[in-house]
Amino acid sequence: MDGPFRGMLLDPDVESGTLMPRVLGTYESELWPAMRELLALADRPVVLNVGAADGYYAIGLLYGNLARRVVAYETLPRLQDAIARMAKRNGVEGQLVVRGQCTQAELGAALRECRPDLLLLDVEGGEAELLVPDRVPELKSIHILVELHPWVAEEEQSAILTAFSSTHVLSIVRARTPSAEDIRNAFFRGVAGLSTGVELRLLGERSAATYWCCMRSIMTA
């Protein structure tokens, strides 16, 4: 109903996250300034989306004409199928490649093969295994937006930030609690404003605090 993916068709039968914030266009809205900044560094960029889940971002970036091509990695076969179906439903299947598990070696190969402008990474705690520029040197010259998860040890999260501190400009985006004022649709804004319980049921996104790191490479040609 709103946001950068306005008009995109969702599939509630396979959607793997929280449905209503996506429908209303409030989902992870705090992330969009950082994402737009990185996307704007190239003209309709190629995006490598690792941990694509049901394809919300992979397909949304194509549908919203924010990327010209997306290579999406997703481990679960049922979600791989869901991505393919939703891409066809939204008419972007020709711009999307869906692949399976992304190991450290596969990530390096994909960065060399696809030469993406942006790496969008959400691997539910596996970020410390993948974001190792000493082993995947191609990471040094690509812009990265990664979700960092609270169940990853603090020293592992710090190691990620330290590893990229000399090759990237780093900024942190913290998750916030959305409110009825974030909804542009007057009817649903009114419904959400009826009580805190209704507001939470319409807009609640996650049970654990999380944050993202926006990494802008200073080594990009």
Side-chain angles (χ1 to χ4, degrees), residues 37-167:
E37 176 188 343
L38 294 181
L39 290 168
L41 294 173
D43 181 23
R44 294 188 65 230
V46 174
V47 176
L48 186 62
N49 183 195
V50 180
D54 61 351
Y56 176 76
Y57 281 114
I59 296 164
L61 290 173
L62 294 171
Y63 181 85
N65 201 32
L66 297 165
R68 70 177 184 273
R69 182 168 178 258
V70 174
V71 178
Y73 281 87
E74 172 50 49
T75 301
L76 297 177
R78 70 174 181 85
L79 292 179
Q80 294 170 20
D81 293 341
I83 294 170
R85 289 196 304 271
M86 198 161 90
K88 186 174 182 179
R89 191 179 185 191
N90 286 280
V92 298
E93 66 270 29
Q95 299 168 263
L96 177 71
V97 176
V98 181
R99 297 176 178 175
Q101 184 176 6
C102 187
T103 62
Q104 193 177 88
E106 176 68 22
L107 176 60
L111 291 172
R112 291 189 295 273
E113 173 201 349
C114 306
R115 300 181 64 83
D117 302 285
L118 172 64
L119 170 61
L120 181 60
L121 186 75
D122 180 4
V123 288
E124 301 303 319
E127 53 267 24
E129 172 64 24
L130 293 178
L131 293 180
V132 186
D134 287 345
R135 297 182 183 177
V136 188
E138 294 81 6
L139 289 168
K140 297 176 182 179
S141 57
I142 187 174
H143 307 305
I144 302 169
L145 187 58
V146 55
E147 182 168 349
L148 300 174
H149 297 83
W151 51 87
V152 174
E154 185 174 342
E155 58 269 23
E156 290 183 340
Q157 294 192 17
S158 296
I160 292 173
L161 303 183
T162 300
F164 288 92
S165 61
S166 63
T167 58

